[in-house]
Amino acid sequence: MSAKSEKPGHDGVDRRGVLRCGAWAGAGLLWTMAGGVASGTVMAGSAHAATHGLTFVQISDTHIGFSKPANPDTSATLRQVIAQIKALPRQPDFIVHTGDITHLSTAQQFDDAHQLLQELRVPIHYIPGEHDTQDEGQGREYLSRFGRGTRGDGWYSFDSHGVHFIALVNVKNLAPGGLGALGQDQIAWLRDDLRHLRSSTPIVVLAHMPMWSLYPEWGWGTDDAAAALEPLQRFGSVTVLNGHIHQIQQHVEGNITFHTARPTSYPQPAPGAAPSPGPMVVPPEQLPRMLGMRKVTVVPGRHELAVTDTPLAS
């Protein structure tokens, strides 16, 4: 079950001030994020860094059932990502899927996605995307498969290796302009969930739609994000991982860092680079470079969070 708690381990990861994130591919880059500005330097041997502690993989926007020219076979590209994960030198402690598992929320698409993803043979924690809540029950198909034991529309939290994970749902009852929305009940639950935690506890928030105003003109943001982020201000280490926009974007606000993820399905245009968002057709040889996965490692005793974004092809 996605909301199952894992035994807490070390609790000594307290990341303050500058966040270093390694966007590692090939030789690798060490990204230093300060005040929302990124600078990078080549890292030697970065592939061997951070071999202990908690490691998990983020995948997003698999859109099983989509078959248009932007990617005629999203199951095939998901299989390639699954193969990449299974080939990792160390298998992750778990997977997080940040939504849009399916394209049209049909029972068959959920079944197909589940059959593919269970090949990973590690626990998977899910949240829904807006494409997972289009059935007549407005998310009942998703909840019946992946939402048992969760609250409301599917939100929950769990702990692993001293890190507290919060899985939010911001794709129901969208705000004007298509912006995401959490709602008062979920925000109240979040405040209560955080109440007992020490400020030194590392926090990872999972959401589908961005939790900052990335590009409100396209609905790329969450209308009531500020109310949800306010109780997180007292924590020294807060990382927010989301999908939805089908590309990598990074942002920093005070103690909170935000990362969007590549999809496994199809790309979308950069913010404002097209009349509207949506599936973007690229030459076939370019598509594998725009799809992929993310590995995140938290190492006890080190302040940096290692974020490795790996495309299907470099």
Side-chain angles (χ1 to χ4, degrees):
M1 178 26 245
S2 58
K4 179 181 179 181
S5 294
E6 299 178 21
K7 183 178 179 181
H10 300 284
D11 195 19
V13 185
D14 182 11
R15 176 173 49 86
R16 298 180 184 275
V18 176
L19 168 75
R20 297 178 183 270
C21 6
W24 297 334
L29 290 175
L30 175 65
W31 288 101
T32 301
M33 299 290 295
V37 178
S39 59
T41 55
V42 176
M43 290 183 59
S46 61
H48 302 292
T51 57
H52 302 287
L54 168 67
T55 297
F56 65 94
V57 166
Q58 178 191 8
I59 60 175
S60 196
D61 298 275
T62 48
H63 282 273
I64 296 303
F66 180 88
S67 59
K68 295 182 180 180
N71 183 352
D73 193 346
T74 54
S75 293
T77 48
L78 176 56
R79 286 190 185 97
Q80 292 177 57
V81 171
I82 290 171
Q84 280 188 328
I85 296 170
K86 293 172 74 172
L88 289 171
R90 170 190 165 181
Q91 285 298 282
D93 294 283
F94 53 83
I95 310 289
V96 297
H97 192 311
T98 48
D100 282 353
I101 304 162
T102 68
H103 194 62
L104 295 175
S105 310
T106 68
Q108 185 63 57
Q109 289 175 2
F110 277 116
D111 289 345
D112 291 345
H114 177 71
Q115 185 173 357
L116 285 168
L117 290 166
Q118 70 179 356
E119 295 177 13
L120 287 166
R121 302 185 185 280
V122 295
I124 304 178
H125 301 279
Y126 296 89
I127 57 173
E130 79 279 10
H131 282 264
D132 299 318
T133 60
Q134 296 182 12
D135 56 291
E136 291 184 0
Q138 296 184 326
R140 190 175 303 159
E141 289 286 350
Y142 166 84
L143 288 172
S144 68
R145 289 165 170 79
F146 306 122
R148 296 173 188 169
T150 63
R151 296 172 180 265
D153 294 316
W155 58 81
Y156 60 95
S157 65
F158 65 97
D159 298 283
S160 182
H161 294 69
V163 181
H164 189 65
F165 289 79
I166 303 166
L168 299 178
V169 178
N170 58 357
V171 298
K172 298 291 296 291
N173 304 312
L174 298 181
L179 289 168
L182 296 160
Q184 294 182 358
D185 289 347
Q186 188 171 188
I187 293 172
W189 166 84
L190 173 62
R191 289 180 179 275
D192 187 65
D193 181 71
L194 294 170
R195 199 181 311 277
H196 71 286
L197 298 176
R198 293 181 295 171
S199 59
S200 60
T201 304
I203 306 292
V204 175
V205 177
L206 310 175
H208 180 66
M209 302 180 77
M211 290 286 288
W212 87 95
S213 295
L214 196 161
Y215 199 69
E217 294 86 342
W218 285 357
W220 288 3
T222 298
D223 187 58
D224 51 0
L229 297 175
E230 189 275 330
L232 293 165
Q233 299 296 331
R234 70 179 178 89
F235 294 92
S237 173
V238 181
T239 302
V240 180
L241 304 177
N242 71 270
H244 186 60
I245 72 165
H246 294 221
Q247 60 197 275
I248 293 174
Q249 297 277 350
Q250 298 175 340
H251 179 69
V252 177
E253 290 184 10
N255 65 319
I256 304 176
T257 63
F258 304 81
H259 298 266
T260 68
R262 285 189 180 97
T264 73
S265 52
Y266 54 81
Q268 292 200 81
S276 63
M280 183 173 69
V281 178
V282 298
E285 66 274 11
Q286 290 185 17
L287 182 62
R289 297 198 293 270
M290 306 181 84
L291 311 178
M293 67 168 187
R294 165 176 290 149
K295 183 176 74 172
V296 181
T297 304
V298 183
V299 183
R302 291 179 57 180
H303 289 181
E304 60 263 33
L305 185 76
V307 179
T308 311
D309 285 299
T310 305
L312 286 182
S314 58

